[in-house]
Structures are given as structure tokens and as C-alpha cells.
Amino acid sequence: MAEITAAMVKELREKSGAGMMDCKKALAEASGDMDAAVDWLRTKGLAAAAKKSSRTAAEGLVGIEVQGTRGAAVEVNSETDFVAKNEQFQAFVRDVTTVALDAGDDVEAIKAAPLDGKTVEEVLTNNIATIGENQSIRRAKRLEVSNGAIVPYVHNAQAPGLGKIGVLVALESEAGADVLEPLGKQIAMHIAAAFPLALDETGLDQDVLERERAIATEKASESGKPAEIVAKMVDGAVKKFAKENALMSQLFVMDNKTPVADVVAKAGKDAGKPITLKDYVRFQLGEGIEKEESDFAAEVAATAGIKK
């Protein structure tokens, strides 16, 4: 049986919001596997969510830029938040975001693209040497419409077009900017807050849905109800998850009662021009990255051979 340390219990508490003893038991049941422990807590109704979007460990910046009917979002990571406030680093993120408008989503293509007489990768290498901290271009996404608008939004921007959560919304329509810009801004704010996993239910990752089905099955099986009732409970739980995590079916955060699809349809009807929410991108700094936190007391204890 895997040894469960206080540090592991603390990490699980931060991820799940569950109580200390429940976290300890979950880790024991999962033989120390953190993700499995989160799932165990969820099957017992002790953890509210599987998403870890609030635990963004990496530092750096998300850059957002729009030019005409094209937009790009780029995440550039650094080791510390201090570097994210560095003007040289901020200028680099802006430049890389501009490059992505032409280079597209492929990070290697972005690195190979020209910038100030060098390649982006060469400029990055120079920045690492002069700033004295490791940096990396993690991901990029470009959106484009043939007719309509790409609307940007940066939540709590640290500088123009730079922040820790960046959103782009692609609206295809012949409606004017006076309609599309405010609509796109509201939808982008919704996306920043609601963290949809896909544009619609058909776009949801099947592995994610299967994981939800497994959790729902275990929870429902503990109800003691007949198999046919359990099956319906599981189907209902998975459908609910899909509805709550697909952008078009999420309830609009501005009123918490109207599906986003209906908001878009009404805006198009009012404008007399159909509006299609074609795509979106939401980048949250460090999303999905786990970074070791420095704990001096733990380091001393480890050196002395003391378990913490």
C-alpha cells in the first residue's frame, strides 16, 4: 500500500475542497493516485468538480490579438510571475501573438518564423539568456471568419492584450460591428467565467465523457435501485454533464437562464442578419500544468530524513 503523506493530503484538499480525513481516505483507496482519489471523492459526493482550472501553476502571460477577421491567442510560460511583469517579456509575447496570426496554431512553425531579423526561437533563446529565467511558447490558436468578427477579451489584463485568461470569439455574420462586438464581448466574458470544454456537445472529448459515465455509474450503483433505473440515472448524469460543459447549451452567465445558443439566435433575429457562433478559444495561464512548489521546511525535513 502506498504511503500517504501530509503533503499529498494537502494537495488533494486544494484540488477537491474535501475535508482532510476524506482526502486521506480517498488517497488510501486510490493507492496514492491523485486523479483516482479525486474521482473517488466525486463518487462519494465529496468533491464538487473535476476541473482544475483554478489551480494554474505555471507563470507567464496569455497574449490576444485581432486583425480584421483574424485573431490569435498564444500562451508563453515563464518560471516566475516577476518575469511576466518584465517589459521585454511582455513585448515578446505581443510579437509572438502577432506572428501566430500568419503562422497559425503550430508552435514549431511559430518558432521558425522570422522576428526582428532572427527566428522567434532565436529571440526566445536570447530572452532566456538576458532575463535569466527559462521561458517557453506553450500553445497557440488562430481563429478566422470569412465575414463577421473575431472578438477578443482578456480577463484582468496586466497590459493591453496580455493577461492570465484570454478569450477569442468567432462570429460569422453580415451584421455590423455595432451588433457583433458587444455580443462577442458578452459571450467572451461568459467563456472566461464558465470554462466550456467544447463549442457543442458533439465536440466534447469522448474520454472525458467516459470518465463521467464511470463516476456516475459507481454513484448510481450505490443507490440500491434496479439495474434499469441505474442505467437511466447514469444516462441522465452524463447528459447533464454534457449540457453544462458545452458552450452552446450552457446557461448565459448574464442572466443564468438562457442557453448561449438562444442568446446568439435572438441577437441575429433582432439584427435581421443570422449570426453563427463559429468557434472560440479560451487560454488560461498554466492550465493543466502542475509545478512543484518550493517548501523550505519540507526540503530541510527531507534532507534530515524526516517525513512531513
Side-chain angles (χ1 to χ4, degrees), residues 13 41 57 67 124-125 162 170 180 187 193 209-210 218 221 232 253 271 282-283 289 302:
R13 286 189 69 187
L41 287 167
Q67 291 183 9
L124 175 61
T125 300
L162 301 174
L180 300 180
I187 293 174
L209 291 177
E210 286 305 311
E218 187 167 345
S221 63
K232 290 180 180 179
V253 294
R282 180 193 189 275
F283 279 178
I289 297 177

Side-chain angles (χ1 to χ4, degrees), residues 1-37:
M1 183 177 176
E3 181 181 5
I4 310 303
T5 66
M8 292 168 66
V9 174
K10 178 177 180 291
E11 181 181 352
L12 184 56
R13 286 189 69 187
E14 291 173 350
K15 285 184 175 181
S16 67
M20 182 177 67
M21 296 308 295
D22 289 325
C23 288
K24 185 175 180 181
K25 185 175 181 181
L27 285 163
E29 291 286 339
S31 299
D33 184 291
M34 195 62 61
D35 288 337

Side-chain angles (χ1 to χ4, degrees), residues 151-179:
V151 184
Y153 172 68
V154 179
H155 184 66
N156 290 337
Q158 294 189 15
L162 301 174
K164 295 193 174 184
I165 299 179
V167 179
L168 292 173
V169 173
L171 297 173
E172 193 84 49
S173 177
E174 293 182 0
D178 59 325
V179 173

